[in-house]
Amino acid sequence: MKRFGGASVYILAAATCVAPAVAQGQPAGPAAGTFAFAIPAGSLASALSTYSNVTGIQVVASPALIGQRQTQGVTGRYTPRAALAVLLRGTRLRPVMTDGVLILRADGAGPRPPAARVAAAPVFALAIGAGERDPLGHDGDIVVTGYRSSLTAAQDLKRRAVGAEDDILASDIAAFPDLNLAESLQRVPGITITRDSGEGRQIALRGLGADFTRTQLNGMEVLGNTASGMDNRGGVSRSRAFDYSLFASELFNRVAVQKSYAAEQDEGGIAGTVQLTTAKPFDYQGPKFVISAKGQTNGNTNGVTPRLVGLASMRQGDFGALISLAYSQIHNNEYGYRNWGWGLTKYAAANIGPDIDDATRGKLLAGVWQPTAQSPSSWYTDRRRLGVTTALQYHPGERFKLDVDLLYGRLWDHRDDYAIASAGANPLTGTTINGGQIIQSAVIDGTNTLRAASYTGIDERSEHHIVENHADFYQAVANGEWTPSDRLTIHALGGYEESDFGQPVFDKVFLEARNMAFSYDTRPADPRNTYGKDLTDPDNWALQRLDVQENRIVSRYTNGKLDVAYALDSALTLKVGGAYKHFSNSGYTWANKVFHNKPTLTAIPNALKQTVGVDTLTQYIVGDVDRTYALIGDTRNLTAANLQAGSDYRVDEKTWAGFAQLDLDTNLGDMRLRANAGVRYYSTDLVSSGNLATASGFQPVSIGTNSKGWLPAVNVALDVTKEVVLRVSASRNVNRPGLGDLAAAGSITTRPNGGSLSLGNPFLRPYKATSIEGSAEWYMDRHGFASIGVFYKNMDSFITSSSKQIPYGETGLPLSLLVQGQDASTPYDVSQPINGPGAKIKGIEAAIQHDFTFLPGTLKNLGFVANGTWFDGHRTAFYTTAGVKSSRVLPLDNLSKWAFNATLYYENPVWGVRVSDAYRSQYLTGAGNALANSGGGIRATNNVDFQAHINIRPGVRLIAEGINVTNEPIRQFASIDAYRTEVYTTSGRIFSLGITASF
């Protein structure tokens, strides 16, 4: 007998359950085929445990029903239903199947009031000892569905899988202090996340970026378009990578991270597949209602914003319906120091002050690496997120199931951004300093980097930027399953989804203040500037430029699947199937820039000027956007006549695929052997259309390509003992290039005295990789778990970057794209993806979880979860500088060599608390623009979160949460050799307090 929070308990769940056989060749459900049973007569509890181990079916009963009941046992080959009937003969117990879980009831007993349970999660029936009372006021049996239970349930699902898999279940997602699913996923071994505007956005799995991870929602691949607030992290998202900030975590009750590949899975996702599942009415034994309301605040902003969740689920006979809704509003101000980039800059002799020594003067004349702007900046975001799910289920018995899932998500963003930089008529941007600027002092280190300097004659430019955008996501998917016989199961899926991104407002006002002293120092971790004029004096500022932009991106996806599973005998199941996918992505950018500084700056009334309206490192004057546009009269509503050349490209992709797979579930002596082996064939027709840069300029093109191939896969899991599982997998998989990389188009970024051009390449070949992996897992009697795994991936070819600096006239683009002061001789950094040599990646993952049940007294309610990873992988990047070609081997983008997660938790029936730490070492985000500036990225981060709750009455919980409680900065750099500072910002601590009621 064990003690838990003062109450005696018996753990009477007979074993674990398996999810439907969807991904890794798991044993079929209770009606599929027969099993070999050898259960001796004796204790019914022991017999049920063996029954669950053989069939994978979870059985739950109360202590009073089991008691000292005996069974005559069962020996021979039976269906699960027939074997259970033999076991229960004479016990006066009857089984009731509820969503794949067998609940034992006494004959004639009516239904008990349902207890909360998560889909596919083990339920632990706890009996209160005689004379004792549960602190929450429960009488009789209760069901534990807390954090500890969710961890155990997730481990059971991992154990039942054939390939490498990690799971998160509902109480782990909805209860943990996570703004979205990305932050929940960072606690899975091998997953790291990128953050923007205070929350996680995209994931990297096993050292490979988001483009290499396939995300599926309710069985169908999902894509979503959003936008970043900061230029250094990219603007509008147009890729295959899923942005997890689109959805609130409360909408989902299970996430499965499948790291190994099986032939029955869709091709793609060399890193792995993330399966998202929304709640269904048959997840619950009866009616279910959940209401949650929280207030949230951020240390970098003012006020409290709401976070609301509601769920209603009903069942009536064979039908069920569920609707859930999650709405939140987030205010965030990420602010700090930003450089727009580093470039090799040469100073004219007349621009070098007399106090500069000869050695330093020579370096300035020859060229030094310096930031193109030294910019205290702020990015204020008012973000609202709405998610609605509807699930309809029709389950007329065990032979037929039909599930229809509908999901709508909308993400609104209103941004107010501010910046000041040395980017006026006499700037520090560009490749040549030859105006009225005079450098008076300079600190140049051994990497030829100008770390600190002071100037006179500098013209500063301020920027006020208002952005309004929204992303809408729609999905409708139907899953049907029919089991016409004990041997045959047919599954079909049909679905459609659409992701629409619109950015109708993207308006900037630039003011300029001329002829001032200025200095900067990037040597401290958080750089600082000094200015020779009062930046808050509106008389010093006048209008320089007005920019307007509009964006639109639309992704559409249609998917159909049909597969059949046939049990050849009790050990072998043959699966065959086919799939069709049609994906399209299109969009455009309209832009207009109007300069108001020739022949002189344009004066505007001081009433149209203001200081920065949010926290900032330095206060300065900016323009009022709406009132300035109204005064000047520039067009804000653009049309197709304002198309930014090359931005209106389209990618259209159609894929036919088929597979055959053999699943094995048998015994080798006393060891259970599970395996699947199969092959998948795919054929993809891709058409990339748009405008391609040629020697005579942009030319309309439509380029079609085809890729096809065979993808074999083998996964083996051996249950060496009841506690130890060994796994090994080998597979071949493919990953299609990113949408932006395939574009028959190019995007241009202009700046004074230079700019950059990013071109697509429709002729890119898919990534193809051979993977092998193995792991050992130890399950410690439901109180703990430990595992270690290794993997290796060999990519035949790897799309890499080619960068060069050339005069704009050699790019083939029209001169009309240039801004004021530029011509055909202006140098531009040009980058383009190319088919490069292969890449290899390898890694080690280790994880451990344990409840401290061995400790005395209340300390036994403690527990911890931890995992750590080591990855190593490289690719080759190519550069051309001054006509000289070179290359360098760099770590893969988004690969952190080391990552670590740990959670310490305490939980009893009354209250609980958890503290989590997530660390990832530095990683690269790009190859850089030259060999001497190769490899830019983000320095190591360490984020700490916590959650505490108290159960104030049954089903009602008060929750307090903290996210990023150490206000961890984001430190972005250029050059893996010189670590040239690009970004140092903080996004604030987030705290919330709320209440959740479930009944």
Side-chain angles (χ1 to χ4, degrees):
M1 183 177 293
K2 298 184 179 181
R3 311 269 313 167
F4 184 85
S8 300
V9 299
Y10 295 95
I11 298 179
L12 295 175
T16 59
C17 70
V18 290
V22 291
Q24 295 291 350
Q26 299 169 6
T34 60
F35 293 83
F37 294 92
I39 303 175
S43 164
L44 177 60
S46 176
L48 290 174
S49 178
T50 303
Y51 173 86
S52 290
N53 286 334
V54 172
T55 64
I57 301 171
Q58 180 185 357
V59 183
V60 176
S62 85
L65 290 180
I66 296 294
Q68 302 299 317
R69 278 186 169 89
Q70 301 290 303
T71 178
Q72 66 181 14
V74 58
T75 301
R77 189 169 295 279
Y78 293 87
T79 65
R81 184 184 295 107
L84 186 63
V86 175
L87 285 178
L88 297 180
R89 192 173 297 159
T91 64
R92 303 184 65 183
L93 298 178
R94 62 181 176 86
V96 177
M97 178 67 74
T98 302
D99 191 34
V101 176
L102 281 172
I103 301 175
L104 298 187
R105 303 196 190 284
D107 280 341
R112 294 174 53 93
R117 180 174 62 81
V118 296
V123 179
F124 299 88
L126 305 182
I128 306 301
E132 297 181 328
R133 180 171 177 81
D134 175 47
L136 299 183
H138 293 287
D139 291 318
D141 299 346
I142 64 172
V143 174
V144 176
T145 57
Y147 182 68
R148 205 180 282 236
S149 175
S150 72
L151 290 176
T152 303
Q155 291 166 15
D156 286 336
L157 291 173
K158 176 182 178 70
R159 184 177 185 173
R160 294 290 178 179
V162 177
E165 177 176 315
D166 288 285
D167 293 84
I168 312 174
L169 297 183
S171 59
D172 196 9
I173 296 174
F176 209 87
D178 296 323
L179 295 175
N180 58 56
L181 284 174
E183 302 199 22
S184 297
L185 283 165
Q186 71 176 319
R187 310 183 207 292
V188 171
I191 289 184
T192 52
I193 68 172
T194 58
R195 289 180 171 85
D196 182 65
S197 298
E199 61 178 310
R201 290 191 65 197
Q202 295 181 334
I203 69 170
L205 176 56
R206 286 183 161 178
L208 291 171
D211 273 332
F212 293 93
T213 302
R214 183 180 61 248
T215 301
Q216 291 185 320
L217 173 57
N218 293 322
M220 181 176 173
E221 190 166 352
V222 60
L223 299 165
N225 305 306
T226 57
S228 170
M230 187 185 293
D231 298 352
N232 298 66
R233 299 181 198 142
V236 176
S237 167
R238 195 168 176 185
S239 71
R240 298 185 190 274
F242 181 62
D243 190 331
Y244 285 87
S245 69
L246 188 59
F247 298 126
S249 60
E250 291 92 343
L251 293 175
F252 304 90
N253 69 357
R254 180 183 172 190
V255 177
V257 181
Q258 297 162 340
K259 300 176 181 178
S260 53
Y261 177 70
E264 64 182 337
Q265 292 177 319
D266 289 344
E267 72 284 350
I270 285 176
T273 296
V274 177
Q275 297 274 8
L276 310 178
T277 305
T278 55
K280 311 288 191 295
F282 278 75
D283 293 346
Y284 309 103
Q285 296 179 19
K288 183 70 177 179
F289 301 94
V290 178
I291 299 176
S292 176
K294 298 177 184 177
Q296 182 171 286
T297 185
N298 184 295
N300 284 6
T301 63
N302 298 318
V304 177
T305 56
R307 188 174 179 93
L308 307 172
V309 178
L311 179 146
S313 177
M314 298 292 293
R315 293 177 55 175
Q316 183 67 43
D318 298 333
F319 294 93
L322 177 149
I323 184 170
S324 67
L325 181 148
Y327 172 82
S328 64
Q329 184 178 20
I330 299 170
H331 289 168
N332 180 270
N333 179 34
E334 184 176 352
Y335 75 96
Y337 196 92
R338 177 183 66 142
N339 290 318
W340 291 339
W342 291 77
L344 189 65
T345 304
K346 296 181 180 181
Y347 285 73
N351 296 91
I352 303 175
D355 295 331
I356 300 291
D357 63 79
D358 290 342
T360 302
R361 180 183 300 271
K363 293 178 181 178
L364 293 170
L365 290 170
V368 293
W369 288 93
Q370 74 172 43
T372 59
Q374 309 78 23
S375 177
S377 303
S378 301
W379 298 266
Y380 175 83
T381 300
D382 181 355
R383 175 172 292 168
R384 291 175 291 157
R385 182 187 291 116
L386 172 67
V388 182
T389 73
T390 299
L392 304 173
Q393 290 184 296
Y394 175 55
H395 291 191
E398 300 177 16
R399 296 287 188 178
F400 181 77
K401 297 180 181 180
L402 177 63
D403 296 353
V404 176
D405 292 285
L406 308 174
L407 187 146
Y408 170 71
R410 184 176 177 91
L411 184 69
W412 296 267
D413 240 351
H414 176 91
R415 297 207 308 269
D416 221 354
D417 303 338
Y418 305 86
I420 183 173
S422 303
N426 290 287
L428 295 178
T429 59
T431 58
T432 304
I433 302 296
N434 57 6
Q437 323 88 310
I438 305 296
I439 186 168
Q440 303 291 353
S441 66
V443 177
I444 304 172
D445 68 7
T447 64
N448 198 32
T449 301
L450 184 62
R451 300 288 183 180
S454 63
Y455 302 84
T456 55
I458 293 295
D459 298 334
E460 292 289 333
R461 186 187 76 184
S462 74
E463 173 184 340
H464 187 191
H465 181 197
I466 290 180
V467 178
E468 292 181 5
N469 61 49
H470 58 269
D472 291 284
F473 178 85
Y474 312 84
Q475 187 196 64
V477 58
N479 280 275
E481 186 174 284
W482 178 39
T483 306
S485 71
D486 286 349
R487 290 178 176 269
L488 180 65
T489 300
I490 302 171
H491 174 261
L493 175 148
Y496 173 82
E497 66 187 32
E498 184 172 321
S499 176
D500 296 342
F501 174 84
Q503 189 162 265
V505 178
F506 185 97
D507 300 343
K508 293 184 179 183
V509 171
F510 295 95
L511 303 183
E512 188 172 328
R514 292 189 166 175
N515 193 23
M516 71 174 69
F518 168 73
S519 65
Y520 71 86
D521 190 347
T522 64
R523 289 173 294 180
D526 51 344
R528 289 293 188 270
N529 298 345
T530 58
Y531 302 87
K533 284 187 177 181
D534 182 1
L535 300 180
T536 62
D537 183 354
D539 292 333
N540 290 330
W541 297 87
L543 181 63
Q544 183 205 58
R545 193 176 97 205
L546 297 178
D547 284 7
V548 183
Q549 188 180 116
E550 294 185 26
N551 297 83
R552 179 76 191 280
I553 301 173
V554 178
S555 294
R556 294 186 174 94
Y557 183 52
T558 303
N559 192 197
K561 300 179 185 178
L562 179 67
D563 53 82
V564 176
Y566 183 77
L568 301 174
D569 56 32
S570 62
L572 288 173
T573 299
L574 175 65
K575 296 179 179 179
V576 295
Y580 170 76
K581 296 186 288 186
H582 182 197
F583 169 73
S584 67
N585 176 273
S586 60
Y588 60 80
T589 297
W590 297 343
N592 190 42
K593 296 182 180 181
V594 181
F595 286 82
H596 294 276
N597 60 345
K598 294 293 184 180
T600 61
L601 295 170
T602 299
I604 60 174
N606 284 349
L608 273 61
K609 304 170 187 175
Q610 64 188 62
T611 55
V612 176
V614 297
D615 287 348
T616 179
L617 296 179
T618 303
Q619 273 292 352
Y620 45 91
I621 291 293
V622 297
D624 183 303
V625 173
D626 291 335
R627 296 171 65 194
T628 301
Y629 272 94
L631 173 70
I632 300 301
D634 284 358
T635 300
R636 297 182 77 179
N637 296 318
L638 305 181
T639 67
N642 302 104
L643 177 69
Q644 180 173 298
S647 67
D648 57 336
Y649 66 87
R650 175 185 174 92
V651 175
D652 195 281
E653 196 174 76
K654 296 179 181 179
T655 299
W656 291 93
F659 79 92
Q661 178 175 300
L662 195 63
D663 290 2
L664 173 67
D665 190 344
T666 188
N667 291 320
L668 289 179
D670 294 332
M671 298 182 295
R672 183 182 179 188
L673 174 65
R674 293 164 293 139
N676 59 58
V679 63
R680 188 177 191 88
Y681 177 80
Y682 72 94
S683 177
T684 299
D685 293 310
L686 184 144
V687 177
S688 178
S689 56
N691 294 275
L692 198 63
T694 68
S696 57
F698 270 162
Q699 298 294 327
V701 295
S702 180
I703 300 171
T705 60
N706 174 267
S707 60
K708 55 190 174 183
W710 296 90
L711 305 175
V714 177
N715 298 278
V716 179
L718 180 65
D719 298 347
V720 179
T721 68
K722 182 180 178 181
E723 295 81 18
V724 177
V725 179
L726 300 180
R727 302 183 197 275
V728 63
S729 299
S731 65
R732 181 83 168 159
N733 206 347
V734 65
N735 217 102
R736 298 174 180 91
L739 299 175
D741 291 344
L742 288 168
S747 61
I748 188 171
T749 301
T750 59
R751 59 179 183 266
N753 302 321
S756 60
L757 178 66
S758 178
L759 300 176
N761 184 352
F763 301 102
L764 294 174
R765 297 188 300 269
Y767 303 87
K768 292 184 179 180
T770 300
S771 303
I772 57 173
E773 60 185 282
S775 65
E777 301 159 8
W778 176 29
Y779 298 86
M780 309 173 196
D781 193 26
R782 309 191 70 84
H783 294 297
F785 159 81
S787 70
I788 187 167
V790 297
F791 75 91
Y792 174 80
K793 297 180 185 292
N794 183 15
M795 299 190 191
D796 301 345
S797 64
F798 192 89
I799 296 170
T800 189
S801 61
S802 174
S803 302
K804 58 185 177 181
Q805 188 178 85
I806 58 176
Y808 180 84
E810 296 180 13
T811 65
L813 302 184
L815 296 178
S816 60
L817 299 180
L818 296 176
V819 298
Q820 181 180 288
Q822 296 185 348
D823 56 30
S825 64
T826 303
Y828 264 69
D829 294 324
V830 179
S831 63
Q832 185 177 38
I834 61 173
N835 295 308
K840 297 178 176 62
I841 183 170
K842 56 189 175 183
I844 301 173
E845 299 173 347
I848 187 169
Q849 181 268 327
H850 207 283
D851 300 329
F852 293 165
T853 52
F854 54 86
L855 293 178
T858 189
L859 293 178
K860 68 185 177 185
N861 297 320
L862 283 168
F864 81 105
V865 185
N867 64 73
T869 58
W870 173 87
F871 299 136
D872 187 50
H874 298 83
R875 54 88 177 247
T876 302
F878 297 87
Y879 310 91
T880 302
T881 304
V884 178
K885 297 182 179 180
S886 59
S887 64
R888 179 176 181 178
V889 175
L890 292 171
L892 292 171
D893 289 354
N894 297 291
L895 182 147
S896 290
K897 196 157 194 172
W898 298 96
F900 176 78
N901 282 274
T903 297
L904 180 67
Y905 56 88
Y906 178 93
E907 188 174 60
N908 65 32
V910 179
W911 62 277
V913 63
R914 301 192 293 276
V915 179
S916 180
D917 180 271
Y919 168 83
R920 70 176 300 187
S921 61
Q922 78 171 28
Y923 58 98
L924 298 187
T925 56
N929 58 356
L931 182 63
N933 195 46
S934 56
I938 295 178
R939 302 296 292 267
T941 58
N942 193 74
N943 288 77
V944 179
D945 308 324
F946 79 87
Q947 190 247 38
H949 72 268
I950 183 169
N951 300 309
I952 57 180
R953 58 166 297 166
V956 180
R957 172 174 288 191
L958 186 66
I959 302 173
E961 299 168 341
I963 298 175
N964 189 28
V965 296
T966 60
N967 198 19
E968 180 75 2
I970 294 179
R971 299 173 296 163
Q972 197 165 340
F973 64 89
S975 176
I976 197 172
D977 302 309
Y979 290 105
R980 297 163 178 146
T981 299
E982 281 202 332
V983 172
Y984 184 95
T985 61
T986 60
S987 56
R989 301 171 177 87
I990 300 174
F991 297 98
S992 66
L993 180 65
I995 190 167
T996 296
S998 175
F999 51 94

